[in-house]
Amino acid sequence: MLLVAKPVLGNAEKIALAEVIDSEWITQGDRVKAFERAFAERHGIGDAVAVSSCTAGLHLAMLALGIGPGDEVLVPSLTFVATANSALYAGATPVFVDIEGIDAPLMSLADAAAKCTTRTKALILVHYAGYLADLAAWRSFAERRGLLLVEDAAHAAGLVQNRHQSDAAVYSFYGNKNMTTAEGGMVAARDPGVLETIRLMRGHGMTATAQQRLTARAPAYDVTVLGYNYRMDELRAAIGLVQLERLAVWNERRARLARSYRSLLAARCPAVSVPFAEAWTSAHHILPIVLPEWADRQHVMERLRGDGIQTTVHYPPVHRLTLYRDRVPAGSLPITEAFAARELTLPLHPEMDEGQVETVVGALASALG
Ligand SMILES: *Cc1c(COP(=O)(O)O)cnc(C)c1O
């Protein structure tokens, strides 16, 4: 089966894991620190905090930025549920914003402006499929209205163009992302004080880590804030260090495959459209296409599955999920709903070759008749 996404793992990761096991220190320690430094350096920022997942990082970003009960947080509905959940975790209310258009399925500035109230405190941008949102425009939008700007950068590892234009950016290393630690995430923040709060809250709010206490640099500890256990461990950091080295090459490979998809789809499936302009800055996390209105998506997915090709949908709109329909009635988001009804995600990962892209496009052309 040709999968939509696939982690690239090999001997280097096995060796890195064996080294951690031989070192006899498996929980958060020097490798986590080294991974944070390497990730920050690769992304052109001063510092970053490794956490157990992007979801945990988003939760901590909300808390450290002071977002809480009574606050409203603007979020796209065309995203993974964790984006909106992070506002709920903090006791705030997510307010769903429509996308710009079928060709640019990123959160709409105009709809965000329309959804602002006196309670709006923050907004969370998602770089859908890896395509970078216009951070300069969002920065000025946020500054004009006195809002905090947070990036759910789960699709955007390796993109360096977004450094510190937001108040916080949170990355994911889940198994299907551009680089993986199986589970894991990384948080960046503009204000070093906010990042220090996140670092503290990741480990129960304790002022000294287990390793610092062991090496007796700080045998005692205090707890100064309500924290969580959102730590990353040494095994994951060791994998992350290996993966980070290859991220740029993998993202370049993704970009090449995406270009092949675009030209083959234009030639062989002219009724299909590919969102975003080819030159749009992107980490090419996934390859979304928009089927023609007359196509039966379920039928297309079954035909492709029969040809050994997995496809998925990104995303069922969050405002239509049962939890959110009941808790935060959003009304209708017509462009999000239209896009989500026709979207199909095709396989894209660095171990694919151009021949497989041709196979997928050929299978899609015949499924569409
Ligand atoms: C994967 C993903 C997340 C969650 O990441 P985890 O590391 O699994 O918590 C959040 N937001 C988006 C947009 C994602 O794709």
Side-chain angles (χ1 to χ4, degrees), residues 123-141:
L123 59 96
I124 309 180
L125 285 180
V126 177
H127 306 296
Y128 175 83
Y131 292 83
L132 197 66
D134 185 347
L135 280 157
W138 283 105
R139 178 88 237 150
S140 81
F141 176 91

Side-chain angles (χ1 to χ4, degrees), residues 52-56 58 78-83 126-127 152-155 171-177 182-185 285 314-315:
S52 53
S53 69
C54 174
T55 306
L58 285 167
L78 188 74
T79 183
F80 183 57
V81 67
T83 314
V126 177
H127 306 296
D152 176 340
H155 297 186
Y171 298 83
S172 173
F173 308 132
Y174 184 65
N176 64 7
K177 298 304 200 293
E183 298 277 2
H285 170 53
H314 287 84
Y315 290 92

Side-chain angles (χ1 to χ4, degrees), residues 200-233:
L200 202 58
M201 292 178 102
R202 146 186 86 174
H204 305 286
M206 290 163 71
T207 53
T209 67
Q211 199 188 34
Q212 285 163 346
R213 281 178 282 125
L214 180 83
T215 55
R217 271 182 280 149
Y221 65 83
D222 190 16
V223 170
T224 52
V225 294
L226 176 63
Y228 299 81
N229 178 358
Y230 283 168
R231 290 177 305 236
M232 179 175 278
D233 59 71

